[in-house]
Amino acid sequence: MTQTDPTAIDPQPLIAAAREAARNAHAPYSRFSVGAAVLLTDGSVVTGANFENASYGLSLCAETVAIATLSAAGRLRDVVAIGVIGGMQVDGVATGTDPVRPCGRCRQVLNEAAGMGARDIAVFCAGAQGERIETHRLRDLLPHAFGPADLGL
């Protein structure tokens, strides 16, 4: 698996795109908006926002929305990095400066894309506001990941 050097990627455009995507979050139940922006090998960026449902189990995280969009476009192999932001809605706007990290389900979904592209994905995490950005590698956020090899593939 190719190791993506997170320090070679400027996280600012991804965080800005994720913040913009969070404006489209459908989060009437949790009132917690999340945005994700995925960087592809050709430099393009695909975004997603969380989409809640009254039947909570049917809700979709921002990261999953973005990765599913890439899958539908046949681009799972092209994922290099992701920026994720989130925060509580105040007057319909995401707020807060504490970095938000992908949940366990999203880490597993990102792992599928990482395996398809044979690269470790850089993960940048920030709050809905502020300058603080955490930098991670997916393998550090999801050690001992379950993947195709566990299925004998």
Side-chain angles (χ1 to χ4, degrees), residues 10-26:
D10 180 5
Q12 295 294 341
L14 286 177
I15 296 302
R19 287 179 173 152
E20 185 62 31
R23 292 174 169 233
N24 297 319
H26 178 70

Side-chain angles (χ1 to χ4, degrees), residues 11-12 14-16 18-19 22 32-36 63 82-88 94-102 123-136:
Q12 295 294 341
L14 286 177
I15 296 302
R19 287 179 173 152
F32 193 87
S33 297
V34 180
E63 302 92 324
I82 186 169
V84 179
I85 69 93
M88 292 301 298
T95 63
T97 58
D98 290 337
V100 171
R101 295 160 207 89
V123 182
F124 303 107
C125 306
Q129 304 165 315
E131 300 300 318
R132 183 174 163 209
I133 299 173
E134 291 180 353
T135 300
H136 304 278

Side-chain angles (χ1 to χ4, degrees), residues 39-141:
L39 176 66
L40 303 178
T41 54
D42 65 3
S44 61
V45 174
V46 173
T47 62
N50 56 321
F51 179 80
E52 294 180 352
N53 188 285
S55 174
Y56 294 131
L58 298 178
S59 296
L60 298 171
C61 297
E63 302 92 324
T64 300
V65 169
I67 294 296
T69 299
L70 290 168
S71 180
R75 305 276 321 260
L76 274 182
R77 297 178 194 283
D78 299 335
V79 176
V80 174
I82 186 169
V84 179
I85 69 93
M88 292 301 298
Q89 294 176 357
V90 176
D91 296 325
V93 176
T95 63
T97 58
D98 290 337
V100 171
R101 295 160 207 89
C103 72
R105 177 181 179 219
C106 289
R107 293 174 195 201
Q108 188 64 43
V109 168
L110 289 167
N111 185 63
E112 194 72 14
M116 294 285 297
R119 75 178 53 84
D120 195 9
I121 295 172
V123 182
F124 303 107
C125 306
Q129 304 165 315
E131 300 300 318
R132 183 174 163 209
I133 299 173
E134 291 180 353
T135 300
H136 304 278
R137 291 177 192 224
L138 180 60
R139 70 171 183 220
D140 297 329
L141 290 176

